[in-house]
PDB file of all heavy atoms in Angstrom:
ATOM      1  N   VAL A   4     -14.828 -14.703  16.287  1.00  0.00           N
ATOM      2  CA  VAL A   4     -14.330 -13.434  16.807  1.00  0.00           C
ATOM      3  C   VAL A   4     -12.819 -13.526  16.913  1.00  0.00           C
ATOM      4  O   VAL A   4     -12.289 -14.385  17.621  1.00  0.00           O
ATOM      5  CB  VAL A   4     -14.953 -13.119  18.182  1.00  0.00           C
ATOM      6  CG1 VAL A   4     -14.409 -11.817  18.742  1.00  0.00           C
ATOM      7  CG2 VAL A   4     -16.462 -13.069  18.076  1.00  0.00           C
ATOM      8  N   ARG A   5     -12.169 -12.658  16.197  1.00  0.00           N
ATOM      9  CA  ARG A   5     -10.704 -12.634  16.239  1.00  0.00           C
ATOM     10  C   ARG A   5     -10.236 -11.293  16.771  1.00  0.00           C
ATOM     11  O   ARG A   5     -10.845 -10.261  16.518  1.00  0.00           O
ATOM     12  CB  ARG A   5     -10.140 -12.837  14.829  1.00  0.00           C
ATOM     13  CG  ARG A   5     -10.421 -14.196  14.288  1.00  0.00           C
ATOM     14  CD  ARG A   5      -9.586 -14.420  13.026  1.00  0.00           C
ATOM     15  NE  ARG A   5      -9.778 -15.766  12.561  1.00  0.00           N
ATOM     16  CZ  ARG A   5     -10.345 -16.080  11.412  1.00  0.00           C
ATOM     17  NH1 ARG A   5     -10.761 -15.135  10.614  1.00  0.00           N
ATOM     18  NH2 ARG A   5     -10.475 -17.335  11.052  1.00  0.00           N
ATOM     19  N   ARG A   6      -9.154 -11.336  17.495  1.00  0.00           N
ATOM     20  CA  ARG A   6      -8.563 -10.096  17.974  1.00  0.00           C
ATOM     21  C   ARG A   6      -7.959  -9.350  16.801  1.00  0.00           C
ATOM     22  O   ARG A   6      -7.422  -9.960  15.879  1.00  0.00           O
ATOM     23  CB  ARG A   6      -7.466 -10.382  18.988  1.00  0.00           C
ATOM     24  CG  ARG A   6      -7.997 -10.899  20.289  1.00  0.00           C
ATOM     25  CD  ARG A   6      -6.905 -11.097  21.328  1.00  0.00           C
ATOM     26  NE  ARG A   6      -5.603 -10.618  20.941  1.00  0.00           N
ATOM     27  CZ  ARG A   6      -4.461 -11.199  21.296  1.00  0.00           C
ATOM     28  NH1 ARG A   6      -4.466 -12.265  22.032  1.00  0.00           N
ATOM     29  NH2 ARG A   6      -3.310 -10.700  20.916  1.00  0.00           N
ATOM     30  N   PRO A   7      -8.027  -8.024  16.800  1.00  0.00           N
ATOM     31  CA  PRO A   7      -7.381  -7.287  15.715  1.00  0.00           C
ATOM     32  C   PRO A   7      -5.866  -7.492  15.771  1.00  0.00           C
ATOM     33  O   PRO A   7      -5.286  -7.693  16.846  1.00  0.00           O
ATOM     34  CB  PRO A   7      -7.759  -5.832  15.978  1.00  0.00           C
ATOM     35  CG  PRO A   7      -8.194  -5.791  17.395  1.00  0.00           C
ATOM     36  CD  PRO A   7      -8.698  -7.153  17.742  1.00  0.00           C
ATOM     37  N   MET A   8      -5.247  -7.464  14.604  1.00  0.00           N
ATOM     38  CA  MET A   8      -3.798  -7.684  14.551  1.00  0.00           C
ATOM     39  C   MET A   8      -3.074  -6.510  15.202  1.00  0.00           C
ATOM     40  O   MET A   8      -3.410  -5.351  14.967  1.00  0.00           O
ATOM     41  CB  MET A   8      -3.340  -7.849  13.109  1.00  0.00           C
ATOM     42  CG  MET A   8      -3.885  -9.109  12.468  1.00  0.00           C
ATOM     43  SD  MET A   8      -3.286  -9.337  10.799  1.00  0.00           S
ATOM     44  CE  MET A   8      -1.577  -9.651  11.093  1.00  0.00           C
ATOM     45  N   GLN A   9      -2.108  -6.823  16.023  1.00  0.00           N
ATOM     46  CA  GLN A   9      -1.310  -5.790  16.673  1.00  0.00           C
ATOM     47  C   GLN A   9       0.143  -6.005  16.273  1.00  0.00           C
ATOM     48  O   GLN A   9       0.742  -7.032  16.573  1.00  0.00           O
ATOM     49  CB  GLN A   9      -1.455  -5.880  18.192  1.00  0.00           C
ATOM     50  CG  GLN A   9      -2.870  -5.602  18.659  1.00  0.00           C
ATOM     51  CD  GLN A   9      -3.001  -5.753  20.163  1.00  0.00           C
ATOM     52  OE1 GLN A   9      -2.115  -6.267  20.835  1.00  0.00           O
ATOM     53  NE2 GLN A   9      -4.116  -5.302  20.689  1.00  0.00           N
ATOM     54  N   TYR A  10       0.663  -5.011  15.554  1.00  0.00           N
ATOM     55  CA  TYR A  10       2.036  -5.118  15.090  1.00  0.00           C
ATOM     56  C   TYR A  10       2.981  -4.590  16.159  1.00  0.00           C
ATOM     57  O   TYR A  10       2.695  -3.608  16.836  1.00  0.00           O
ATOM     58  CB  TYR A  10       2.223  -4.323  13.805  1.00  0.00           C
ATOM     59  CG  TYR A  10       1.374  -4.823  12.662  1.00  0.00           C
ATOM     60  CD1 TYR A  10       0.320  -4.061  12.170  1.00  0.00           C
ATOM     61  CD2 TYR A  10       1.626  -6.053  12.081  1.00  0.00           C
ATOM     62  CE1 TYR A  10      -0.453  -4.526  11.127  1.00  0.00           C
ATOM     63  CE2 TYR A  10       0.855  -6.520  11.041  1.00  0.00           C
ATOM     64  CZ  TYR A  10      -0.176  -5.753  10.566  1.00  0.00           C
ATOM     65  OH  TYR A  10      -0.941  -6.210   9.534  1.00  0.00           O
ATOM     66  N   ASP A  11       4.116  -5.231  16.272  1.00  0.00           N
ATOM     67  CA  ASP A  11       5.111  -4.713  17.208  1.00  0.00           C
ATOM     68  C   ASP A  11       5.858  -3.557  16.545  1.00  0.00           C
ATOM     69  O   ASP A  11       5.607  -3.198  15.394  1.00  0.00           O
ATOM     70  CB  ASP A  11       6.070  -5.819  17.653  1.00  0.00           C
ATOM     71  CG  ASP A  11       6.830  -6.434  16.504  1.00  0.00           C
ATOM     72  OD1 ASP A  11       6.452  -6.169  15.352  1.00  0.00           O
ATOM     73  OD2 ASP A  11       7.784  -7.183  16.757  1.00  0.00           O
ATOM     74  N   LEU A  12       6.761  -2.951  17.276  1.00  0.00           N
ATOM     75  CA  LEU A  12       7.445  -1.746  16.814  1.00  0.00           C
ATOM     76  C   LEU A  12       8.257  -2.010  15.548  1.00  0.00           C
ATOM     77  O   LEU A  12       8.257  -1.206  14.616  1.00  0.00           O
ATOM     78  CB  LEU A  12       8.360  -1.207  17.927  1.00  0.00           C
ATOM     79  CG  LEU A  12       9.096   0.082  17.600  1.00  0.00           C
ATOM     80  CD1 LEU A  12       8.103   1.205  17.325  1.00  0.00           C
ATOM     81  CD2 LEU A  12      10.049   0.465  18.726  1.00  0.00           C
ATOM     82  N   ALA A  13       8.924  -3.144  15.460  1.00  0.00           N
ATOM     83  CA  ALA A  13       9.740  -3.439  14.281  1.00  0.00           C
ATOM     84  C   ALA A  13       8.875  -3.558  13.022  1.00  0.00           C
ATOM     85  O   ALA A  13       9.253  -3.072  11.948  1.00  0.00           O
ATOM     86  CB  ALA A  13      10.518  -4.729  14.511  1.00  0.00           C
ATOM     87  N   MET A  14       7.722  -4.177  13.153  1.00  0.00           N
ATOM     88  CA  MET A  14       6.832  -4.302  11.999  1.00  0.00           C
ATOM     89  C   MET A  14       6.282  -2.939  11.579  1.00  0.00           C
ATOM     90  O   MET A  14       6.153  -2.655  10.392  1.00  0.00           O
ATOM     91  CB  MET A  14       5.667  -5.240  12.330  1.00  0.00           C
ATOM     92  CG  MET A  14       6.023  -6.711  12.322  1.00  0.00           C
ATOM     93  SD  MET A  14       6.523  -7.298  10.708  1.00  0.00           S
ATOM     94  CE  MET A  14       4.996  -7.230   9.822  1.00  0.00           C
ATOM     95  N   ARG A  15       5.964  -2.085  12.545  1.00  0.00           N
ATOM     96  CA  ARG A  15       5.449  -0.761  12.188  1.00  0.00           C
ATOM     97  C   ARG A  15       6.514   0.082  11.501  1.00  0.00           C
ATOM     98  O   ARG A  15       6.226   0.806  10.552  1.00  0.00           O
ATOM     99  CB  ARG A  15       4.937  -0.050  13.443  1.00  0.00           C
ATOM    100  CG  ARG A  15       3.560  -0.575  13.859  1.00  0.00           C
ATOM    101  CD  ARG A  15       3.041   0.170  15.020  1.00  0.00           C
ATOM    102  NE  ARG A  15       3.746  -0.386  16.197  1.00  0.00           N
ATOM    103  CZ  ARG A  15       3.558   0.002  17.434  1.00  0.00           C
ATOM    104  NH1 ARG A  15       2.710   0.959  17.697  1.00  0.00           N
ATOM    105  NH2 ARG A  15       4.199  -0.556  18.427  1.00  0.00           N
ATOM    106  N   GLU A  16       7.776  -0.022  11.958  1.00  0.00           N
ATOM    107  CA  GLU A  16       8.859   0.719  11.303  1.00  0.00           C
ATOM    108  C   GLU A  16       9.097   0.207   9.886  1.00  0.00           C
ATOM    109  O   GLU A  16       9.318   0.989   8.964  1.00  0.00           O
ATOM    110  CB  GLU A  16      10.139   0.618  12.124  1.00  0.00           C
ATOM    111  CG  GLU A  16      10.098   1.424  13.406  1.00  0.00           C
ATOM    112  CD  GLU A  16      11.351   1.249  14.246  1.00  0.00           C
ATOM    113  OE1 GLU A  16      12.218   0.438  13.862  1.00  0.00           O
ATOM    114  OE2 GLU A  16      11.450   1.917  15.273  1.00  0.00           O
ATOM    115  N   ALA A  17       9.039  -1.111   9.699  1.00  0.00           N
ATOM    116  CA  ALA A  17       9.213  -1.675   8.361  1.00  0.00           C
ATOM    117  C   ALA A  17       8.070  -1.235   7.453  1.00  0.00           C
ATOM    118  O   ALA A  17       8.280  -0.963   6.261  1.00  0.00           O
ATOM    119  CB  ALA A  17       9.270  -3.194   8.440  1.00  0.00           C
ATOM    120  N   LEU A  18       6.881  -1.122   7.988  1.00  0.00           N
ATOM    121  CA  LEU A  18       5.734  -0.679   7.213  1.00  0.00           C
ATOM    122  C   LEU A  18       5.899   0.770   6.758  1.00  0.00           C
ATOM    123  O   LEU A  18       5.633   1.101   5.607  1.00  0.00           O
ATOM    124  CB  LEU A  18       4.461  -0.828   8.050  1.00  0.00           C
ATOM    125  CG  LEU A  18       3.163  -0.385   7.398  1.00  0.00           C
ATOM    126  CD1 LEU A  18       2.803  -1.332   6.263  1.00  0.00           C
ATOM    127  CD2 LEU A  18       2.046  -0.342   8.412  1.00  0.00           C
ATOM    128  N   THR A  19       6.353   1.632   7.648  1.00  0.00           N
ATOM    129  CA  THR A  19       6.541   3.038   7.263  1.00  0.00           C
ATOM    130  C   THR A  19       7.662   3.182   6.242  1.00  0.00           C
ATOM    131  O   THR A  19       7.565   3.993   5.323  1.00  0.00           O
ATOM    132  CB  THR A  19       6.828   3.909   8.488  1.00  0.00           C
ATOM    133  OG1 THR A  19       7.940   3.371   9.199  1.00  0.00           O
ATOM    134  CG2 THR A  19       5.624   3.974   9.399  1.00  0.00           C
ATOM    135  N   ARG A  20       8.753   2.408   6.381  1.00  0.00           N
ATOM    136  CA  ARG A  20       9.839   2.454   5.386  1.00  0.00           C
ATOM    137  C   ARG A  20       9.352   1.983   4.019  1.00  0.00           C
ATOM    138  O   ARG A  20       9.672   2.586   2.993  1.00  0.00           O
ATOM    139  CB  ARG A  20      11.019   1.585   5.830  1.00  0.00           C
ATOM    140  CG  ARG A  20      11.907   2.225   6.875  1.00  0.00           C
ATOM    141  CD  ARG A  20      13.240   1.512   6.996  1.00  0.00           C
ATOM    142  NE  ARG A  20      13.129   0.059   7.097  1.00  0.00           N
ATOM    143  CZ  ARG A  20      13.005  -0.627   8.239  1.00  0.00           C
ATOM    144  NH1 ARG A  20      13.016   0.014   9.394  1.00  0.00           N
ATOM    145  NH2 ARG A  20      12.910  -1.932   8.245  1.00  0.00           N
ATOM    146  N   ALA A  21       8.574   0.913   3.991  1.00  0.00           N
ATOM    147  CA  ALA A  21       8.074   0.397   2.716  1.00  0.00           C
ATOM    148  C   ALA A  21       7.107   1.377   2.078  1.00  0.00           C
ATOM    149  O   ALA A  21       7.123   1.570   0.857  1.00  0.00           O
ATOM    150  CB  ALA A  21       7.406  -0.951   2.936  1.00  0.00           C
ATOM    151  N   ALA A  22       6.275   2.020   2.879  1.00  0.00           N
ATOM    152  CA  ALA A  22       5.330   2.995   2.332  1.00  0.00           C
ATOM    153  C   ALA A  22       6.056   4.218   1.794  1.00  0.00           C
ATOM    154  O   ALA A  22       5.645   4.788   0.777  1.00  0.00           O
ATOM    155  CB  ALA A  22       4.325   3.402   3.409  1.00  0.00           C
ATOM    156  N   ALA A  23       7.145   4.630   2.448  1.00  0.00           N
ATOM    157  CA  ALA A  23       7.891   5.799   1.974  1.00  0.00           C
ATOM    158  C   ALA A  23       8.675   5.476   0.703  1.00  0.00           C
ATOM    159  O   ALA A  23       8.886   6.345  -0.146  1.00  0.00           O
ATOM    160  CB  ALA A  23       8.838   6.287   3.062  1.00  0.00           C
ATOM    161  N   ALA A  24       9.119   4.243   0.526  1.00  0.00           N
ATOM    162  CA  ALA A  24       9.920   3.872  -0.630  1.00  0.00           C
ATOM    163  C   ALA A  24       9.089   3.671  -1.886  1.00  0.00           C
ATOM    164  O   ALA A  24       9.601   3.799  -3.002  1.00  0.00           O
ATOM    165  CB  ALA A  24      10.696   2.589  -0.334  1.00  0.00           C
ATOM    166  N   GLN A  25       7.808   3.391  -1.742  1.00  0.00           N
ATOM    167  CA  GLN A  25       6.968   3.146  -2.916  1.00  0.00           C
ATOM    168  C   GLN A  25       6.511   4.459  -3.542  1.00  0.00           C
ATOM    169  O   GLN A  25       6.195   5.404  -2.831  1.00  0.00           O
ATOM    170  CB  GLN A  25       5.733   2.335  -2.527  1.00  0.00           C
ATOM    171  CG  GLN A  25       6.027   0.897  -2.204  1.00  0.00           C
ATOM    172  CD  GLN A  25       4.744   0.132  -1.889  1.00  0.00           C
ATOM    173  OE1 GLN A  25       3.676   0.701  -1.868  1.00  0.00           O
ATOM    174  NE2 GLN A  25       4.896  -1.154  -1.643  1.00  0.00           N
ATOM    175  N   PRO A  26       6.467   4.523  -4.855  1.00  0.00           N
ATOM    176  CA  PRO A  26       5.929   5.731  -5.495  1.00  0.00           C
ATOM    177  C   PRO A  26       4.419   5.785  -5.313  1.00  0.00           C
ATOM    178  O   PRO A  26       3.790   4.782  -5.004  1.00  0.00           O
ATOM    179  CB  PRO A  26       6.300   5.542  -6.968  1.00  0.00           C
ATOM    180  CG  PRO A  26       6.404   4.066  -7.135  1.00  0.00           C
ATOM    181  CD  PRO A  26       6.919   3.546  -5.822  1.00  0.00           C
ATOM    182  N   HIS A  27       3.874   6.956  -5.477  1.00  0.00           N
ATOM    183  CA  HIS A  27       2.428   7.100  -5.345  1.00  0.00           C
ATOM    184  C   HIS A  27       1.736   6.335  -6.462  1.00  0.00           C
ATOM    185  O   HIS A  27       2.130   6.432  -7.623  1.00  0.00           O
ATOM    186  CB  HIS A  27       2.045   8.585  -5.404  1.00  0.00           C
ATOM    187  CG  HIS A  27       1.696   9.127  -4.068  1.00  0.00           C
ATOM    188  ND1 HIS A  27       2.631   9.332  -3.084  1.00  0.00           N
ATOM    189  CD2 HIS A  27       0.500   9.489  -3.530  1.00  0.00           C
ATOM    190  CE1 HIS A  27       2.041   9.803  -2.017  1.00  0.00           C
ATOM    191  NE2 HIS A  27       0.751   9.918  -2.263  1.00  0.00           N
ATOM    192  N   LEU A  28       0.706   5.616  -6.116  1.00  0.00           N
ATOM    193  CA  LEU A  28      -0.044   4.864  -7.106  1.00  0.00           C
ATOM    194  C   LEU A  28      -1.091   5.763  -7.750  1.00  0.00           C
ATOM    195  O   LEU A  28      -1.720   6.575  -7.080  1.00  0.00           O
ATOM    196  CB  LEU A  28      -0.724   3.653  -6.465  1.00  0.00           C
ATOM    197  CG  LEU A  28       0.216   2.627  -5.836  1.00  0.00           C
ATOM    198  CD1 LEU A  28      -0.595   1.540  -5.158  1.00  0.00           C
ATOM    199  CD2 LEU A  28       1.116   2.033  -6.888  1.00  0.00           C
ATOM    200  N   THR A  29      -1.239   5.628  -9.049  1.00  0.00           N
ATOM    201  CA  THR A  29      -2.232   6.404  -9.772  1.00  0.00           C
ATOM    202  C   THR A  29      -3.431   5.509 -10.050  1.00  0.00           C
ATOM    203  O   THR A  29      -3.289   4.434 -10.622  1.00  0.00           O
ATOM    204  CB  THR A  29      -1.666   6.915 -11.105  1.00  0.00           C
ATOM    205  OG1 THR A  29      -0.456   7.631 -10.843  1.00  0.00           O
ATOM    206  CG2 THR A  29      -2.656   7.801 -11.820  1.00  0.00           C
ATOM    207  N   THR A  30      -4.592   5.982  -9.636  1.00  0.00           N
ATOM    208  CA  THR A  30      -5.798   5.217  -9.898  1.00  0.00           C
ATOM    209  C   THR A  30      -6.205   5.462 -11.340  1.00  0.00           C
ATOM    210  O   THR A  30      -6.367   6.594 -11.773  1.00  0.00           O
ATOM    211  CB  THR A  30      -6.926   5.656  -8.966  1.00  0.00           C
ATOM    212  OG1 THR A  30      -6.458   5.601  -7.623  1.00  0.00           O
ATOM    213  CG2 THR A  30      -8.141   4.775  -9.123  1.00  0.00           C
ATOM    214  N   ALA A  31      -6.340   4.390 -12.116  1.00  0.00           N
ATOM    215  CA  ALA A  31      -6.690   4.545 -13.522  1.00  0.00           C
ATOM    216  C   ALA A  31      -7.586   3.397 -13.950  1.00  0.00           C
ATOM    217  O   ALA A  31      -7.482   2.295 -13.434  1.00  0.00           O
ATOM    218  CB  ALA A  31      -5.428   4.555 -14.372  1.00  0.00           C
ATOM    219  N   THR A  32      -8.432   3.700 -14.909  1.00  0.00           N
ATOM    220  CA  THR A  32      -9.225   2.633 -15.488  1.00  0.00           C
ATOM    221  C   THR A  32      -8.445   2.034 -16.641  1.00  0.00           C
ATOM    222  O   THR A  32      -7.554   2.673 -17.191  1.00  0.00           O
ATOM    223  CB  THR A  32     -10.571   3.168 -15.995  1.00  0.00           C
ATOM    224  OG1 THR A  32     -10.310   4.195 -16.960  1.00  0.00           O
ATOM    225  CG2 THR A  32     -11.411   3.706 -14.865  1.00  0.00           C
ATOM    226  N   SER A  33      -8.782   0.841 -16.998  1.00  0.00           N
ATOM    227  CA  SER A  33      -7.990   0.170 -18.023  1.00  0.00           C
ATOM    228  C   SER A  33      -8.609   0.380 -19.396  1.00  0.00           C
ATOM    229  O   SER A  33      -9.325  -0.456 -19.912  1.00  0.00           O
ATOM    230  CB  SER A  33      -7.899  -1.321 -17.718  1.00  0.00           C
ATOM    231  OG  SER A  33      -9.195  -1.866 -17.711  1.00  0.00           O
ATOM    232  N   ASN A  34      -8.347   1.515 -19.959  1.00  0.00           N
ATOM    233  CA  ASN A  34      -8.687   1.715 -21.369  1.00  0.00           C
ATOM    234  C   ASN A  34      -7.463   2.251 -22.100  1.00  0.00           C
ATOM    235  O   ASN A  34      -6.491   2.688 -21.487  1.00  0.00           O
ATOM    236  CB  ASN A  34      -9.920   2.610 -21.555  1.00  0.00           C
ATOM    237  CG  ASN A  34      -9.707   3.999 -21.002  1.00  0.00           C
ATOM    238  OD1 ASN A  34      -8.589   4.470 -20.898  1.00  0.00           O
ATOM    239  ND2 ASN A  34     -10.793   4.660 -20.657  1.00  0.00           N
ATOM    240  N   VAL A  35      -7.503   2.246 -23.386  1.00  0.00           N
ATOM    241  CA  VAL A  35      -6.317   2.570 -24.179  1.00  0.00           C
ATOM    242  C   VAL A  35      -5.904   4.024 -23.994  1.00  0.00           C
ATOM    243  O   VAL A  35      -4.707   4.341 -23.887  1.00  0.00           O
ATOM    244  CB  VAL A  35      -6.590   2.266 -25.684  1.00  0.00           C
ATOM    245  CG1 VAL A  35      -5.417   2.657 -26.530  1.00  0.00           C
ATOM    246  CG2 VAL A  35      -6.921   0.802 -25.849  1.00  0.00           C
ATOM    247  N   VAL A  36      -6.858   4.949 -23.911  1.00  0.00           N
ATOM    248  CA  VAL A  36      -6.537   6.358 -23.784  1.00  0.00           C
ATOM    249  C   VAL A  36      -5.774   6.604 -22.476  1.00  0.00           C
ATOM    250  O   VAL A  36      -4.767   7.317 -22.444  1.00  0.00           O
ATOM    251  CB  VAL A  36      -7.825   7.200 -23.857  1.00  0.00           C
ATOM    252  CG1 VAL A  36      -7.535   8.665 -23.630  1.00  0.00           C
ATOM    253  CG2 VAL A  36      -8.512   6.977 -25.193  1.00  0.00           C
ATOM    254  N   THR A  37      -6.232   6.039 -21.396  1.00  0.00           N
ATOM    255  CA  THR A  37      -5.570   6.230 -20.107  1.00  0.00           C
ATOM    256  C   THR A  37      -4.148   5.685 -20.151  1.00  0.00           C
ATOM    257  O   THR A  37      -3.223   6.322 -19.630  1.00  0.00           O
ATOM    258  CB  THR A  37      -6.376   5.542 -18.993  1.00  0.00           C
ATOM    259  OG1 THR A  37      -7.718   5.998 -19.057  1.00  0.00           O
ATOM    260  CG2 THR A  37      -5.788   5.846 -17.635  1.00  0.00           C
ATOM    261  N   TRP A  38      -3.959   4.515 -20.734  1.00  0.00           N
ATOM    262  CA  TRP A  38      -2.617   3.933 -20.802  1.00  0.00           C
ATOM    263  C   TRP A  38      -1.685   4.813 -21.653  1.00  0.00           C
ATOM    264  O   TRP A  38      -0.520   4.964 -21.328  1.00  0.00           O
ATOM    265  CB  TRP A  38      -2.678   2.505 -21.362  1.00  0.00           C
ATOM    266  CG  TRP A  38      -3.226   1.553 -20.370  1.00  0.00           C
ATOM    267  CD1 TRP A  38      -4.450   0.970 -20.395  1.00  0.00           C
ATOM    268  CD2 TRP A  38      -2.575   1.083 -19.208  1.00  0.00           C
ATOM    269  NE1 TRP A  38      -4.620   0.168 -19.293  1.00  0.00           N
ATOM    270  CE2 TRP A  38      -3.472   0.204 -18.549  1.00  0.00           C
ATOM    271  CE3 TRP A  38      -1.335   1.300 -18.634  1.00  0.00           C
ATOM    272  CZ2 TRP A  38      -3.159  -0.434 -17.362  1.00  0.00           C
ATOM    273  CZ3 TRP A  38      -1.022   0.657 -17.440  1.00  0.00           C
ATOM    274  CH2 TRP A  38      -1.929  -0.193 -16.824  1.00  0.00           C
ATOM    275  N   ARG A  39      -2.196   5.404 -22.715  1.00  0.00           N
ATOM    276  CA  ARG A  39      -1.346   6.270 -23.544  1.00  0.00           C
ATOM    277  C   ARG A  39      -0.979   7.541 -22.785  1.00  0.00           C
ATOM    278  O   ARG A  39       0.131   8.034 -22.886  1.00  0.00           O
ATOM    279  CB  ARG A  39      -2.071   6.629 -24.846  1.00  0.00           C
ATOM    280  CG  ARG A  39      -2.135   5.491 -25.815  1.00  0.00           C
ATOM    281  CD  ARG A  39      -2.783   5.885 -27.091  1.00  0.00           C
ATOM    282  NE  ARG A  39      -2.928   4.722 -27.964  1.00  0.00           N
ATOM    283  CZ  ARG A  39      -3.838   4.588 -28.897  1.00  0.00           C
ATOM    284  NH1 ARG A  39      -4.714   5.554 -29.106  1.00  0.00           N
ATOM    285  NH2 ARG A  39      -3.902   3.512 -29.639  1.00  0.00           N
ATOM    286  N   GLU A  40      -1.948   8.067 -21.994  1.00  0.00           N
ATOM    287  CA  GLU A  40      -1.646   9.255 -21.209  1.00  0.00           C
ATOM    288  C   GLU A  40      -0.637   8.975 -20.108  1.00  0.00           C
ATOM    289  O   GLU A  40       0.223   9.791 -19.810  1.00  0.00           O
ATOM    290  CB  GLU A  40      -2.936   9.822 -20.604  1.00  0.00           C
ATOM    291  CG  GLU A  40      -3.874  10.428 -21.619  1.00  0.00           C
ATOM    292  CD  GLU A  40      -5.201  10.848 -21.002  1.00  0.00           C
ATOM    293  OE1 GLU A  40      -5.377  10.626 -19.783  1.00  0.00           O
ATOM    294  OE2 GLU A  40      -6.053  11.348 -21.736  1.00  0.00           O
TER     295      GLU A  40
END
């Protein structure tokens, strides 16, 4: 039994900045047609 991780305020702010800086990920299967599109 482990306690759930609790992030302090600095870690939560860094998490929101990193999430805002990343582009949206596109879910795709790995076939040739999808990669060409």
Side-chain angles (χ1 to χ4, degrees):
V4 179
R5 293 192 176 115
R6 290 184 7 214
M8 294 183 68
Q9 296 178 348
Y10 298 111
D11 60 348
L12 182 61
M14 283 296 290
R15 282 183 281 181
E16 288 177 356
L18 179 69
T19 55
R20 281 196 312 270
Q25 288 183 357
H27 255 71
L28 299 176
T29 306
T30 307
T32 58
S33 61
N34 62 25
V35 177
V36 176
T37 307
W38 286 107
R39 286 183 185 154
E40 291 174 358

